[in-house]
Amino acid sequence: MNKNKRSLWYYLKKDRLIYIMMLPGLLYYLIFHYLPMIGIIIAFKDYKPYWGLKGIFTSEWVGLKHFNKFFRSMYFGRLLKNTLLISIYGLIFGFPLPIILALFINELKSLRFKKTVQTISYLPHFLSAVIVVGIIRNIVSADGGLINGIISAFGGKPIPFLQKPEWFRTIYVVSGIWQGIGWSSIIYLAAMSGIDQELYDAAKVDGGGVFKRMWHITLSGIAPVVSIQLVLNIGHLLSVGREKILLLYSPQTYSTADVISTYVYREGLINQNYSFSTAVGLFNSLVGIVMVLGSNYIAKRMGQEGIW
Amino acid sequence: MKKRMVAMVIAASMVIGIMSGCGSGNSNPTQGTSAASGTSEKTETTAGGDSAETSAQVTEAADEEIPTIVYYNNSGGINYNDGVATDPDYYKRMQDYIIEQIGVKVEVIIPPQDNAAEKLGLLLAGGDQLDFWWGNWRDYYEDGIIIPINEYLEMPEAKSLYEDWDENHYDGWKRMTDLNGNIWGIPRLCKGATYPVYVRNDWLELLGMDMPQTLDDLNKYLYAIKDLDPYGNGETIPLVLQGGANPMDGAVYCFGGGFLDPVGRWLDEADGKVKPDYLQAGYKDLVDQVRQWYEDGIIHIEYMGNNNTIRREQITSGRVAATACWYSDVTITDEGLSANVPDWDVTERGDYIFGMNHNGLIGPNGKKMEIFSNGNSTQALMISSKCKHPEAVMKFIEWANEFENSITIQRGFEGEGWEYSDKENAKEMHIINVLNDKDYVYCMDFWIPNQREASVTDFYASGVQNMHNKYLQEYYSEYSRGSDQDFEWSVAWDSAAMSEACPFLGDINTYRNEQFAKFINGTRSMDTWDQFIEECYDMGLDAYIEESTRQYNNWLNSR
């Protein structure tokens, strides 16, 4: 009998141990990630949370009412623009920096110093948004803030940065980079550890300096990971978190700070309007998947790794 | 073979593990989050004087014969205990004590501090036993989630509970009643004088001024302070004004009565429509006053982004000359401020550093400026329509509403958590001393009404009464100090109907808040106020006015 024509059952039986070990993972994804997707239908219904599971199916269909409300909001354009701009700025300035940090950390010879740098750079990741915002306030406040202290020391007039719409994105993006740069560099450091050491030795013999080795060996070696990370990050362009913005913004800065997630918080979550929140979430996901597919296609066309 | 066996065992245990994890339904709704978790092996004497043996017997009997009710204690009171629930053994004693007293077993679910609403939604959706909880009755009554309690309130046992909230006291039942006369819950909040304008006594003295009686007096003081800069380096803040999403909220609550007539939504006699407060001429004047303060540096340049943490830091530092914000920003920072202002001896002076005009500040329209809060609150204690023993819930609430019981379930047993200061002479207000170092022993609380908290007297280490405590006892209900809202409070507004009729109300409010900010910080001229109103109409303000008018008329017809 031809091996290739053996039945599925044969393979299931033959590799049963592997399949059994796979089962918990499969069940996890099925139960916690795929089954809850049924809940998406509440985006097309008027659902209240205390109606429970039954209410998901028995609540009244309202068609595109919640999508309509979102798209017809006079702030829809502004929300989209603010969300995209904050994300794109974050991507442009925040994406390369962990790679650069990882490249430099990778070149450190002293293991103790390397670990110290890594630990210090990871720490901000573990701070809650409340703490981070407290630190930001202490730095940029017009009332005794560090930056304004310097401005005043040089005879300048304090600038209320947090009340100025034109400063909001800068503050948000810079603080985000500070908080995430170390943590995001881990994946690149892990990828770098997989690069064949002999390549570096050969480059040294050929007279390649530190920067040439970083460029031609290290960066080339992690290019597939960078490519995948970029594609995945592009998929999250509309997913700007609300917590830090809620703590930072005020009516004076809505024009640049109000994003989709803060709008959903005000309109949906405070009033427990889960249908509206789900509708906006579904819209975000659809845009996200289009972005992922698009960037994945472009990455592959450019000869880089895609996510599949 | 051995390897295969090991692999099989690991795989099987992983499968079993995940399956049991998925299916580990919690038959005890209080487990994990409740003060009730864990059982008591306590051998101490219970409050009722019984031994542990008796206690165990009571529990056993209770499990067999008496109704069990589950209380979701989302009153927020646990925040005063840093989110820490009672020791399980103590809780058990309390539970047994309640069984002895009224024959009802009470299970309490302590919600997560920051996600109480989400947890409540999940519990209601999940079908777990949940008999009563706090919330806005208007969110639940139309969907049959809660039951009306009219019949239970007619029982003789409910007399004191009913009277606590009747129209001679806090007028609470009207706010719990729908247009058909159904009462959907027990009121939670009573009207409060909570937005006083506080002024520094020591700096009044420094300027040789008396406590301001009018807005003009207050302005004279604020501008004099601005010029004098008693804190130094230009860091004195003449007036801390409450900020927030609507930058006018603090100003409206502290000064609105002096500019608006009536306060809140109002009936425009010209067209018979009910309109929002900012369509009154006085509102523009109030915005202009705040703008002037902002321009002149009377209020902090970052005031719109402030919150109670920031305000309290500013007040405690000693830089603040006057406040226009929620009362406790001042009252609970008093001890810290005193440390920074050692020259002011409270004992010697007989007054705290911050003082207020107890007659109420008078505004430009000749009326008192402070507006009371909570007068229209529809926050209630509600009973689930799935509750099997609503009479037991009412029995417990009536029992817990009694002073001594209320204090006991909140602070622990008499002699352990508290004691009477002078029980013999106690009349209307029972003064007690707190015996432990915690704010709450915390088994549960009822928070009805706020005056319950005021029945406890706290002192600083210096022997002076705690300023916050004094406020609750003497000034919280100082109703001669400010202004009521008119029918804004009387009509039980239906927010769900409003949301249907005016789906973009959120957008209008966001726009309104942004424009207020621009008027105040000077990026939009006050000359364009009428244009701003027109813009609000263009966004759909008409729909809000029509629906407000409809609900107002329905309320009028139902009276």
Side-chain angles (χ1 to χ4, degrees):
Chain A
M1 195 179 171
N2 187 333
K3 191 181 171 186
N4 291 333
K5 288 187 178 172
R6 282 174 175 161
S7 67
L8 176 65
W9 177 245
Y10 170 82
Y11 290 109
L12 284 176
K13 198 176 167 189
K14 179 172 172 279
D15 299 322
R16 59 188 178 281
L17 286 178
I18 294 169
Y19 286 116
I20 288 173
M21 290 183 79
M22 241 175 74
L23 200 56
L26 282 176
L27 284 173
Y28 166 77
Y29 275 99
L30 185 69
I31 293 167
F32 295 110
H33 291 265
Y34 283 88
L35 280 179
M37 281 188 195
I38 297 166
I40 286 172
I41 62 171
I42 68 169
F44 307 95
K45 292 177 162 230
D46 262 343
Y47 171 76
K48 291 186 180 172
Y50 38 78
W51 288 343
L53 201 59
K54 195 177 159 195
I56 292 177
F57 304 101
T58 55
S59 49
E60 187 192 353
W61 288 97
V62 294
L64 298 174
K65 174 184 162 185
H66 303 297
F67 293 91
N68 243 330
K69 182 181 173 185
F70 181 49
F71 296 139
R72 285 179 57 211
S73 163
M74 68 169 278
Y75 290 115
F76 176 71
R78 186 176 86 175
L79 295 168
L80 201 60
K81 180 184 155 198
N82 287 345
T83 308
L84 283 172
L85 280 179
I86 282 181
S87 280
I88 289 169
Y89 289 152
L91 201 63
I92 291 172
F93 299 104
F95 186 75
L97 288 174
I99 301 171
I100 295 168
L101 178 70
L103 284 171
F104 283 102
I105 288 176
N106 193 48
E107 292 300 325
L108 291 174
K109 302 294 175 218
S110 163
L111 194 64
R112 178 170 291 189
F113 182 60
K114 189 175 177 178
K115 286 191 172 177
T116 308
V117 170
Q118 281 180 274
T119 307
I120 290 171
S121 64
Y122 297 164
L123 280 178
H125 170 79
F126 298 100
L127 299 177
S128 72
V130 178
I131 305 287
V132 170
V133 169
I135 293 170
I136 293 170
R137 284 189 188 280
N138 282 334
I139 293 172
V140 301
S141 170
D143 188 21
L146 182 69
I147 294 175
N148 275 309
I150 296 168
I151 292 172
S152 300
F154 284 97
K157 197 179 169 193
I159 301 166
F161 291 103
L162 287 174
Q163 316 302 311
K164 300 271 186 193
E166 62 270 26
W167 278 101
F168 186 84
R169 290 184 192 124
T170 308
I171 292 168
Y172 184 87
V173 171
V174 169
S175 59
I177 291 172
W178 165 74
Q179 198 180 3
I181 187 170
W183 190 253
S184 304
S185 68
I186 292 177
I187 195 161
Y188 302 115
L189 284 166
M192 286 170 194
S193 67
I195 297 171
D196 190 348
Q197 197 58 36
E198 287 183 4
L199 292 172
Y200 291 100
D201 297 338
K204 271 184 200 169
V205 172
D206 292 342
V210 173
F211 289 102
K212 285 209 167 180
R213 291 201 299 271
M214 279 164 73
W215 181 260
H216 292 292
I217 300 174
T218 316
L219 206 53
S220 300
I222 64 166
V225 177
V226 172
S227 168
I228 290 169
Q229 284 294 106
L230 185 63
V231 171
L232 292 176
N233 274 315
I234 287 172
H236 289 112
L237 275 184
L238 288 189
S239 307
V240 176
R242 68 168 182 271
E243 205 178 3
K244 199 167 89 180
I245 296 183
L246 284 174
L247 292 164
L248 273 176
Y249 79 171
S250 69
Q252 287 171 292
T253 53
Y254 278 178
S255 57
T256 54
D258 200 15
V259 295
I260 292 174
S261 58
T262 49
Y263 177 77
V264 169
Y265 176 77
R266 288 200 306 272
E267 292 292 314
L269 294 181
I270 287 180
N271 302 319
Q272 297 207 354
N273 189 349
Y274 288 11
S275 289
F276 180 74
S277 307
T278 307
V280 179
L282 187 56
F283 167 73
N284 281 356
S285 301
L286 288 175
V287 174
I289 200 159
V290 169
M291 298 262 194
V292 167
L293 288 172
S295 52
N296 189 59
Y297 175 76
I298 293 168
K300 290 183 98 168
R301 291 280 292 187
M302 291 171 68
Q304 293 298 327
E305 284 285 329
I307 51 173
W308 63 82
Chain B
M1 186 63 191
K2 195 177 174 185
K3 275 185 181 174
R4 286 168 66 88
M5 284 297 291
V6 171
M8 283 286 279
V9 169
I10 292 172
S13 58
M14 284 170 78
V15 173
I16 291 164
I18 197 165
M19 295 307 285
S20 60
C22 296
S24 63
N26 191 351
S27 59
N28 177 2
T30 62
Q31 194 176 345
T33 56
S34 162
S37 58
T39 52
S40 173
E41 296 295 330
K42 209 160 182 71
T43 53
E44 289 174 20
T45 303
T46 63
D50 297 321
S51 67
E53 193 180 336
T54 314
S55 169
Q57 284 167 357
V58 168
T59 309
E60 205 172 288
D63 289 340
E64 287 171 6
E65 299 162 17
I66 60 176
T68 299
I69 56 175
V70 179
Y71 170 38
Y72 187 68
N73 196 7
N74 57 334
S75 71
I78 195 165
N79 293 335
Y80 291 88
N81 206 34
D82 299 326
V84 180
T86 307
D87 160 40
D89 290 346
Y90 207 95
Y91 175 83
K92 189 70 171 50
R93 283 180 61 203
M94 190 65 71
Q95 209 173 29
D96 292 342
Y97 177 64
I98 296 168
I99 291 169
E100 284 174 29
Q101 295 290 309
I102 54 172
V104 174
K105 184 178 182 184
V106 186
E107 297 278 6
V108 182
I109 299 175
I110 304 291
Q113 226 175 336
D114 299 324
N115 301 305
E118 287 84 348
K119 170 94 178 170
L120 175 62
L122 288 171
L123 285 170
L124 291 172
D128 293 308
Q129 186 186 350
L130 182 62
D131 295 306
F132 55 124
W133 68 92
W134 297 99
N136 183 348
W137 62 266
R138 289 198 155 271
D139 291 340
Y140 302 96
Y141 82 112
E142 279 183 323
D143 299 314
I145 308 291
I146 55 174
I147 55 168
I149 57 169
N150 300 51
E151 63 175 295
Y152 303 106
L153 287 173
E154 285 165 11
M155 298 186 328
E157 298 92 326
K159 190 171 181 291
S160 66
L161 176 66
Y162 190 83
E163 286 176 352
D164 264 357
W165 287 99
D166 71 10
E167 55 191 82
N168 297 321
H169 289 76
Y170 301 113
D171 212 6
W173 299 113
K174 279 185 189 169
R175 290 183 270 122
M176 299 294 113
T177 309
D178 67 14
L179 294 178
N180 298 320
N182 295 312
I183 298 173
W184 291 97
I186 292 144
R188 176 181 180 188
L189 299 168
C190 57
K191 184 172 80 177
T194 54
Y195 283 96
V197 171
Y198 268 114
V199 177
R200 284 273 291 261
N201 281 316
D202 55 339
W203 286 355
L204 278 173
E205 210 171 89
L206 186 68
L207 292 166
M209 297 174 99
D210 293 326
M211 181 61 73
Q213 305 293 319
T214 65
L215 181 62
D216 285 342
D217 293 346
L218 179 69
N219 271 327
K220 280 176 195 155
Y221 166 74
L222 296 175
Y223 282 87
I225 283 288
K226 174 76 182 161
D227 292 339
L228 186 66
D229 186 21
Y231 189 76
N233 296 323
E235 291 179 16
T236 306
I237 304 173
L239 178 66
V240 160
L241 180 60
Q242 184 166 316
N246 180 350
M248 284 299 294
D249 271 353
V252 167
Y253 270 111
C254 294
F255 305 106
F259 290 82
L260 304 169
D261 189 16
V263 176
R265 269 174 274 199
W266 58 290
L267 182 67
D268 188 343
E269 300 289 353
D271 56 9
K273 304 279 187 191
V274 173
K275 298 179 178 175
D277 53 3
Y278 58 93
L279 295 193
Q280 284 189 46
Y283 203 100
K284 181 185 172 188
D285 297 336
L286 182 55
V287 173
D288 199 36
Q289 172 65 83
V290 178
R291 182 201 60 76
Q292 193 66 55
W293 283 335
Y294 191 90
E295 185 181 307
D296 297 339
I298 299 298
I299 51 180
H300 196 279
I301 195 169
E302 292 175 328
Y303 100 88
M304 290 184 218
N306 74 23
N307 54 35
N308 58 6
T309 307
I310 293 170
R311 291 193 297 272
R312 287 170 191 183
E313 277 174 12
Q314 290 171 339
I315 294 165
T316 309
S317 69
R319 301 164 58 192
V320 175
T323 67
C325 51
W326 184 256
Y327 73 101
S328 66
D329 287 346
V330 172
T331 56
I332 67 171
T333 51
D334 175 66
E335 206 171 7
L337 174 65
S338 298
N340 291 326
V341 186
D343 292 344
W344 186 269
D345 187 331
V346 182
T347 318
E348 185 188 311
R349 300 287 189 144
D351 202 353
Y352 302 97
I353 296 169
F354 274 103
M356 71 166 113
N357 181 341
H358 291 286
N359 294 318
L361 279 174
I362 305 296
N365 64 4
K367 296 191 172 179
K368 294 186 177 178
M369 295 205 287
E370 182 182 346
I371 297 176
F372 304 131
S373 56
N374 298 332
N376 62 340
S377 172
T378 45
Q379 290 290 315
L381 188 61
M382 297 164 288
I383 302 178
S384 168
S385 55
K386 290 181 184 170
C387 176
K388 289 177 184 161
H389 306 289
E391 70 294 336
V393 172
M394 285 302 292
K395 194 174 183 181
F396 173 61
I397 294 170
E398 285 152 17
W399 177 82
N401 191 51
E402 293 299 317
F403 169 78
E404 209 170 90
N405 301 330
S406 166
I407 294 295
T408 299
I409 60 174
Q410 193 162 296
R411 291 181 178 266
F413 296 108
E414 185 183 356
E416 295 178 22
W418 62 278
E419 66 180 9
Y420 280 106
S421 160
D422 186 3
K423 190 170 185 175
E424 300 299 315
N425 297 316
K427 290 180 182 172
E428 287 185 3
M429 183 158 309
H430 305 276
I431 304 298
I432 64 165
N433 301 319
V434 178
L435 296 178
N436 51 37
D437 58 355
K438 288 181 180 177
D439 281 343
Y440 291 80
V441 167
Y442 211 80
C443 287
M444 55 196 91
D445 71 68
F446 280 91
W447 222 258
I448 24 179
N450 302 63
Q451 269 63 12
R452 184 71 73 228
E453 190 178 12
S455 55
V456 177
T457 304
D458 290 337
F459 297 93
Y460 296 142
S462 63
V464 174
Q465 187 177 1
N466 182 312
M467 187 186 189
H468 183 69
N469 182 244
K470 190 175 177 74
Y471 193 96
L472 289 170
Q473 286 188 347
E474 295 184 25
Y475 309 138
Y476 188 94
S477 50
E478 198 173 51
Y479 298 137
S480 58
R481 213 174 67 213
S483 299
D484 274 325
Q485 302 199 31
D486 194 24
F487 61 80
E488 178 70 59
W489 276 1
S490 313
V491 180
W493 303 101
D494 186 340
S495 55
M498 178 59 77
S499 179
E500 283 294 321
C502 184
F504 297 108
L505 182 59
D507 283 359
I508 297 171
N509 288 342
T510 300
Y511 184 74
R512 176 201 65 192
N513 296 346
E514 276 190 275
Q515 299 314 305
F516 284 167
K518 286 181 178 174
F519 284 124
I520 292 166
N521 68 20
T523 51
R524 181 167 186 168
S525 164
M526 288 301 296
D527 295 338
T528 64
W529 180 267
D530 292 341
Q531 189 189 329
F532 153 68
I533 300 295
E534 286 304 314
E535 288 158 2
C536 292
Y537 273 110
D538 290 343
M539 291 177 69
L541 189 62
D542 264 334
Y544 173 79
I545 292 172
E546 289 301 326
E547 178 60 20
S548 294
T549 308
R550 186 190 71 77
Q551 290 190 24
Y552 169 74
N553 287 333
N554 278 355
W555 169 75
L556 274 185
N557 294 335
S558 72
R559 288 169 77 189

